[in-house]
Amino acid sequence: MLATIYSAATLGVDGYLVDVEVDVAKGGMFQFLIVGLPDASVKESTSRVEVALQSQGFRVPRTRVLVNLAPADVRKEGPAFDLPIALGLLAGSDQLRSPQLGSYLVTGELSLEGTLRPVSGVLPMALAARQAGKRGIVLPKENAREAAVVHGLAVYPVGSIREAVAVLEDAPEPLPAEDLSAHLSDPAWEIDFSEVRGQEHVKRALEVAAAGGHNVLMQGPPGSGKTMLARRLATILPPLGFEEALEVTKLYSITGLLGRERALVTQRPFRAPHHTVSDAGLIGGGSIPRPGEISLAHHGVLFLDELPEFSRQALEVLRQPLEEGHVTIARAAAAVTYPARCVFVGAMNPCPCGYLGDPVRPCSCPEQSVRRYRARISGPLLDRIDLHIEVPRLKQEELLSPGASEPSRTIRARICRAREIQQRRFHGTRVFANAAMQPRQVKTFCKVQPDGEALLKSAIERLGLSARAYDRILKLARTIADLAGADAIGVPHLAEAIQYRSFDRQF
């Protein structure tokens, strides 16, 4: 007898339905086969399903059993097909009778006792089920809160095969849907900008970066606060919108980083990989493509400390996603695209020893060594970084000052007002902030008065700016004007923007 159970898998960040067709023959030698481009973990389902069904008191047919996973031209991976294969086998052998079997999507990994273990990628699967018009989703209890985020889809958490059979036969009350939007409007951060002493000009630069979505490079001696400042940048970014939170959560769901207690990512992500990270770890890849750190930082902050210590190739492959906001990984079987729209923050010392220009400790590096160190940051990569910030050593009076710094909440309020201006400006387009403006939009929204043009010409001659750096200055000036609530870009806005390109001459 032929039975069909609907399950799902993920391709990139999206889910797609998989028809699990189970044919139980009436006779013949016992054979349990899975076809439809299964990987090793899917093929091993035959052993897990057989023992799990016996452990739960069900009968395993001793005839030929053929399982087809359709579409058959897409590779299937992972243990999430265990439960649908088991239920399909029961339906094909008349041990499960449900007239609405095709109304549900089923997923879950089985233990040998017949209990369920959580699986990755449940959120994109649930979204695919809703889009396909399924009535509900049957899944492990640990994944229930994640699926409950999707409104309009009944969620049935189960702990074993027997509980799954009871759901399909009796259709009990589903798990109530969760409304997590309140957690997005005011995320609770454990760190705050008020904890940072001094460095007011750096805080101002990071405020500009957050307001316009601009990339940042900080240079300063060890202990000047570069890492501390970078970690607090995410706390002043505008709160995640619900659709943004879904995008981020899907990425964490497919990589298994969401965690059992968390249904939705409610804070802007902050990722800080070590400088030994591989190209695939940073950008994404592998024989079975997975998102990298730049995608896990989507809608948040990607921080690379000790930037020159990263491999030259890893830094160069960052150029395309920083420019376009996504990563496409092509393999022989398929090509997947992961979103990668984040604020990039790099931090580095001014020289190998770290004390070039420091007023307290002398630098011990030869000039040639300093040049080689800085040459690790290529010109094309530097062009894609909007703000260049010097972070000097803190003075003694700044360290001992009892006054409290401005909290993240206050800074975030100003940034939200600037982002609201940009949302109105770019309404109906894919541009989310000033940093993502295309040349045509720069020409439209970043017009400069004659006195400003003279200032720009002088900066181009002195700093040797490229055409891309020139556009970056205009975008920065537009953001600074938005923070000031000004309609037109003035000379003060341009002057502040130009000072953030101080590394163009150094590098």
Side-chain angles (χ1 to χ4, degrees), residues 460-471:
I460 291 171
E461 292 174 359
R462 288 189 295 109
L463 298 177
L465 299 178
S466 66
R468 184 180 281 115
Y470 173 79
D471 279 352

Side-chain angles (χ1 to χ4, degrees), residues 59 263 394:
R59 173 175 52 86
L394 279 175

Side-chain angles (χ1 to χ4, degrees), residues 217-244:
L217 177 60
M218 295 187 288
Q219 178 179 276
S224 57
K226 301 185 294 297
T227 301
M228 186 177 189
L229 285 157
R231 290 188 178 278
R232 283 153 181 78
L233 177 58
T235 69
I236 62 173
L237 289 171
L240 283 170
F242 185 71
E243 291 302 321
E244 290 178 324

